[in-house]
Amino acid sequence: MHDFHFVGRRLFCEGVALESLAENFGTPLYVYSQHTLADHFSKLDAAMAPVDHLICFAVKANSNLSVLRVLANAGSGFDIVSAGELSRVLAAGGDPRRCVFAGVGKTEPEIEFALRQRVYCFNVESEPELQRLNRVAARLKKIAPVAVRVNPNVAAGTHAKITTGTYENKFGIAFEQVAGIYARAARLKNLRLRGVQMHIGSQITETAPFEAAVKKVLPLVRQLSAAYGLEFFSIGGGLGIIYDPMLASGRPAWWRTPAAKKILTPASYAARILPLVRPLGLKILMEPGRFIAGNAGALVARVEYVKRTGRKNFVIVDAAMNDLIRPAFYDAYHEIVPLVKKGGAAVSSDVVGPICESGDYFCKNRPLPKVGEGDHLALLSAGAYGFVMAGNYNSRPLAAEILVSGKKFAVARARQPVKEIWAGEKVVAWLK
Ligand SMILES: *Cc1c(COP(=O)(O)O)cnc(C)c1O
């Protein structure tokens, strides 16, 4: 599943002990496994092999240049949501003609940039956006390739903040209105209708919601494809991963929750989805982010203090919500393990950061091995929606990122120097 594992008492990423990385590079520290990234990509790629397909890694999940390069080398395209992300793909050596541009708020400069770079498709989320695309393309004397994002109004069974495929969300165009939009778009001279797109949400751990959404949209795709000669159908991303080892195999069967037996694999996903989409004869696009990067990264933190109150055992670490916001933002679970196992009984602990917010915690009341000042902890499965959401709250510099491959390791992003945090700021003239 991934390449973070204990060898004896020590936690390794592939062939490198995390404790040595923490000592070399300091903490907080993101560590990524190149093998996990490439392996997850190729497993999905292989599962989709029976159909003409393109996997477009969702850059928003992890946009480090080295991570993007690993995936570009593996043959990945990219799902981008801003000019910034497109620039990153270019900087990493990715192919803009294998990029799809998503998002509800594309600005004119962004559209212009993406048109000049010849992205594969714009995934359009509203009628005004279609008009704007047509206008910008006309001005540049170009034809913009487009797909409309269909909102199938299917519940994904995931957290409210990562559900996107229902009418409560800002995403896509309501299923019932899509045919009308294609008819109007077909009359816009600087657009080329290239495909249909959908994406119902994130961290979906069963195939049923994907299946339901595909089944609902299929007749529409068939109809639009016949009418406009489409090239692809994008079934989005959203494939979930294991965050909580209670759900993972390797535990006694009685310990697994019912969800565990259904946890999604590329093979189980493809087995249900491919028979549905194959008869279309279209190229199938996918936009996975978390599935590829999630389990490929860990955030390493140092224990600064252990504070015992009457009720609680607080483990105060040097990583915080500015480094990894998922627990605060989505109530997310990250498995927390020591880099060096010491044995002894577990203590019910809250692992918290130093930021002045009650939301700045990584877990509450969780049985964890006893740790003390100077020990290190790893928050596992932090490779997606981790560093990309980091910020400078409390004037905390952005963490460093390390890429590991076998016994090799290298800095994929240097720790941010403190002064860089306010590099663009000034004490304005009249205050001097
Ligand atoms: C975020 C997003 C994805 C990727 O979602 P994951 O859950 O990381 O796979 C794919 N497509 C679109 C349109 C998105 O917004």
Side-chain angles (χ1 to χ4, degrees):
M1 185 182 70
H2 62 69
D3 294 270
F4 292 85
H5 50 257
F6 280 95
V7 179
R9 291 164 43 237
R10 298 191 302 157
L11 183 65
F12 277 68
C13 172
E14 301 194 24
V16 178
L18 289 183
E19 188 74 6
S20 68
L21 293 179
E23 280 159 12
N24 265 322
F25 300 105
T27 48
L29 189 71
Y30 275 95
V31 181
Y32 305 123
S33 158
Q34 177 172 332
H35 179 259
T36 306
L37 290 164
D39 183 53
H40 286 182
F41 176 85
S42 62
K43 282 193 173 125
L44 197 53
D45 203 32
M48 298 300 286
V51 295
D52 181 20
H53 69 281
L54 176 62
I55 296 174
C56 295
F57 174 67
V59 173
K60 74 176 192 283
N62 187 322
S63 59
N64 182 282
L65 296 188
S66 288
V67 170
L68 299 184
R69 183 58 164 263
V70 167
L71 295 167
N73 288 350
S76 188
F78 297 96
D79 175 280
I80 53 159
V81 294
S82 68
E85 285 192 352
L86 179 52
S87 302
R88 275 184 177 275
V89 169
L90 297 172
D95 182 354
R97 287 161 306 176
R98 289 159 79 84
C99 283
V100 290
F101 192 172
V104 297
K106 303 174 191 79
T107 65
E108 291 210 6
E110 286 182 315
I111 290 170
E112 191 172 325
F113 178 49
L115 274 172
R116 290 190 192 283
Q117 292 297 331
R118 297 168 198 270
V119 297
Y120 178 68
C121 198
F122 291 84
N123 294 338
V124 172
E125 307 230 15
S126 67
E127 195 139 7
E129 185 189 335
L130 269 181
Q131 304 283 352
R132 177 181 282 186
L133 265 168
N134 186 56
R135 206 169 57 239
V136 177
R139 173 155 54 76
L140 300 182
K141 300 191 170 54
K142 289 186 181 293
I143 302 291
V146 300
V148 169
R149 176 168 177 179
V150 181
N151 183 332
N153 199 24
V154 169
T158 187
H159 190 278
K161 281 188 182 151
I162 50 176
T163 295
T164 61
T166 75
Y167 290 169
E168 292 297 308
N169 309 116
K170 67 183 176 185
F171 300 104
I173 289 175
F175 182 77
E176 296 77 9
Q177 295 165 8
V178 171
I181 294 226
Y182 273 82
R184 291 191 289 284
R187 292 197 286 273
L188 299 176
K189 295 220 161 34
N190 289 79
L191 299 185
R192 168 181 170 203
L193 297 175
R194 195 164 212 176
V196 181
Q197 198 266 348
M198 70 172 192
H199 171 72
I200 56 172
S202 198
Q203 185 51 19
I204 300 167
T205 52
E206 313 171 27
T207 45
F210 292 113
E211 227 180 313
V214 168
K215 276 189 182 152
K216 179 160 180 191
V217 176
L218 265 186
L220 179 66
V221 178
R222 219 173 278 125
Q223 176 198 330
L224 296 171
S225 181
Y228 306 108
L230 303 182
E231 191 175 292
F232 76 88
F233 175 31
S234 171
I235 52 180
L239 288 79
I241 61 166
I242 295 170
Y243 282 100
D244 182 348
M246 295 271 281
L247 296 177
S249 50
R251 301 265 180 168
W254 54 265
W255 197 343
R256 279 180 241 158
T257 68
K261 292 172 195 131
K262 286 186 284 180
I263 191 80
L264 205 124
T265 63
S268 64
Y269 177 88
R272 305 300 284 270
I273 302 299
L274 289 187
L276 299 175
V277 298
R278 197 173 185 171
L280 288 171
L282 295 175
K283 187 200 246 321
I284 300 301
L285 263 61
M286 286 189 71
E287 307 148 3
R290 188 190 312 270
F291 177 79
I292 288 172
N295 292 140
L299 172 61
V300 177
R302 180 180 192 270
V303 175
E304 294 296 332
Y305 301 97
V306 176
K307 175 171 164 178
R308 291 175 175 283
T309 64
R311 292 162 166 267
K312 290 277 203 178
N313 186 54
F314 290 107
V315 176
I316 303 170
V317 296
D318 67 352
M321 64 189 286
N322 75 298
D323 302 300
L324 177 66
I325 204 174
R326 298 189 67 259
F329 195 25
Y330 308 114
D331 311 308
Y333 183 102
H334 285 274
E335 190 183 357
I336 301 177
V337 295
L339 298 197
V340 183
K341 276 191 205 164
K342 287 198 241 169
V347 188
S348 176
S349 304
D350 286 20
V351 177
V352 303
I355 287 183
C356 316
E357 297 280 349
S358 304
D360 183 28
Y361 64 87
F362 293 125
C363 73
K364 288 190 171 174
N365 303 318
R366 193 183 299 176
L368 288 178
K370 201 170 165 191
V371 289
E373 182 186 335
D375 290 339
H376 289 105
L377 295 174
L379 291 107
L380 301 183
S381 305
Y385 307 104
F387 183 89
V388 283
M389 288 194 187
N392 288 128
Y393 189 36
N394 280 205
S395 287
R396 293 169 47 84
L398 298 176
E401 295 174 286
I402 305 292
L403 186 71
V404 171
S405 177
K407 288 189 187 322
K408 289 187 293 195
F409 54 88
V411 175
R413 181 185 175 108
R415 186 173 304 286
Q416 186 180 34
V418 168
K419 280 188 176 171
E420 207 178 83
I421 297 176
W422 58 85
E425 297 177 28
K426 285 187 174 67
V427 176
V428 301
W430 70 77
L431 295 172
K432 287 182 187 161

